[in-house]
Amino acid sequence: MGPQHPMTHGLWNLRVRIDGETILDCDPEMGYLHRGIEKISEDRHYNEVVTLMDRCCYVAGFSWEHLYILGAEEALHIEPPERAEYLRVLCDEFQRIGSHLMWYAAFVQDLGLMSPFLYGMRDRDLVLDLFQSYTGARMTYEYMRVGGVRNDLPPGFSDRARGVLDWLMARFVEYDQLCLGSTIFRKRCDHLGVLKAADCVTHGVTGPMIRSAGVKRDLRKDRPYSAYDRLEFDIAVADGADVTARYLVRMEEMRQSVRILRQVLDWLDRHPGPVIAAQLPRWLGAPYAPIGNEGYLLKRHYPKGVGFSAIEEPHGEALAYVVNEGGEHPYRVKFRSPVFANLSAARQYLVGYHVADIPPIMGSVDVCVGEVDR
Amino acid sequence: MSAAPVPAGAAKPAPATLGLPMGADLPMAEAPAVPFVEIEALRAKEFIPAAKEALGALIAEQGQSRVIRPVFNWAGRNSLFPLHWGLACCAIEFAAAFGARWDAERFGVVPRSSPRQCDLMIVNGTVTWKVAHKLITLYEQMPEPKWVIAMGNCATGGGPFRTAYSVVPGVDKLVPVDVYIAGCPPRPEAMLEGILKLEELIRERKE
Amino acid sequence: MTSQPQTPEELAAYLAPRLGDRLLGVEPFPETLGRVRFRREGALDLFRAMRDDLTFGHCSTVAGIDWVDHREVVYILWSDAARRYVLLSADLPADDPRIETACAIWPSANWHEREAWELVDITFEHHPDLRHLLMPDGYAFHPLLRSFKLHEPEELEVKSRRV
């Protein structure tokens, strides 16, 4: 089934061995979108790799930018200012809502429900309008830099953002009515694709899939990064470990994101400040270095180091390992994609079900091929 | 219905009714003397020869290419069926173009899952060597006439990944491309403009 | 559990009796339990100790790095009980980059090791299914080696052919 198949939502091939309607074995075949991002990054300036990270996982671009930037900042021993950290959290959480809305639109379309697809895309366009207002682009933002972010928010953003959040909270109620209230949805999704907690851990499955199995694991709480230790929110967990549970987890995550965003917007309104580090070396941020630091800039000082960062991406746990051997290009960047691991466990949650169950189950896994293949 | 002019101020006449109580069945007309199918056949018997005659006269006067070809072009360009597939980031903008804000289906563009039913292949995303064989197979499975739109920088010339070891530097190395849409990713409006450009191209088709 | 090591030094003291001289040291690494450098002969013992005794039951990733004169393989593990990461790092000689597979201990390492073999040419012995994952079958190169150079964009112009 693939690489051209309406179920796949991307370029990958699911080879399934069946007996009648029952699945006996399956083998996901990846690599149709392998673009060698890790290899190309070795020829790029640290800030230029950010453009590749947008395209790495295209539905969650800000999260991957954030992941790489955290690793690069650790490798280069640079600290961003606090306002930049809150701005990054703003981007992350809006991106989480956008990614989950895209997941929702594609997932319900696979089940045959057309109206929620249109509603999901419409609401996602509202979030993308917000992104466009301060980065200039809907999907490939190139907004974060080593040491901070590129620019601050435009005036009036906070009111527009709060309007969108209020609109979205009302829409989530509608979405639940449309889906959980639909007998067809429940019959197709309950008790499907079960992956229990112990199997999740041994097979490296993270994110909404492990939270749907009842495990309260979220890197934003377990190993807080950026401003998450100063924000108040709950982890979305569900029992059941099936497709409906994953749906419930993602819906609740969107609500928690709205909660986080309201706190972040309040903070951003009250604390103006710089959005990029003041003492950046010239080779890293010449246009942004303020006048008066020329003495610092004249030294061409290339630090060495290794940066390791982990974030809770909308699909799960993503890691970056950035090796910096001096110089303006990273020596090696290694990314761990959550969907890579979630897909590698396909045998566990697909075998034994029917062929018609493949679209809901793979939809609940939320495959984004760009980050699997990198 | 012809109504006699009513002087201003006069009471409006009561609407015509059948005088039946609520819930009663409406009286149906008597069964026609000639059954429906035969009526249609009679009409066809008269219409088709008349149409042939008129069309023949027009073709004799103006030449086939000026009569038949524009009709085919009109039908083809207003019902482009792209293949339902997405390669990379541009596919998300492709999907957004089918949402409620930029409704692509109003142009007659309906994505079809099977290449046998498509006449348009929008290559939206990076083409790798691993998928090149499958892309050419899909292209060959599409029946003539068919068109290819290269959407996005990756399909046009490799995009940001041009130097990668696994990326085809542009899909025109594999299949002939009719329209290139630049952008990384192109906005849904840009994709719709590309489709409209293709429609202009089809309008000018001569054979 | 009070017996769980909390710092890199405690981890080194905990692992030393199990690994002996196959443990090369534990360096501090920010916001993790530490970075364990070990010799590849001690791989399985170290993995078992990590998973069974130290509750690192989740193998997040296996990364391969090509330092031209040797290769390095890095395992990143997560512990739910201790809520933190630990890194394991082994150096492999460039002419013989083999190490025992971790699939028997953590099934999640399966695909990561396939990718590490494919890109950085590290052979994982007794891996159940070591074949190409991201590149087409039969691809003869290991792209992320430093000796594999990419083209310049201008060199990639070829005449397009009509299909």
Side-chain angles (χ1 to χ4, degrees), chain B residues 114-186:
Chain B
S114 164
R116 304 280 183 201
Q117 300 166 1
C118 297
D119 49 6
L120 172 61
M121 183 161 79
I122 299 186
V123 182
N124 44 22
T126 322
V127 187
T128 58
W129 290 112
K130 193 164 183 178
V131 87
H133 167 72
K134 313 253 160 123
L135 190 145
I136 298 180
T137 307
L138 285 166
Y139 179 76
E140 289 174 354
Q141 283 179 333
M142 283 162 61
E144 289 279 348
K146 55 191 169 188
W147 297 277
V148 174
I149 290 184
M151 176 182 177
N153 288 354
C154 290
T156 307
F161 307 102
R162 190 179 168 86
T163 53
Y165 45 88
S166 57
V167 167
V168 180
V171 76
D172 52 3
K173 312 288 185 279
L174 304 171
V175 295
V177 174
D178 295 291
V179 175
Y180 297 87
I181 307 177
C184 192

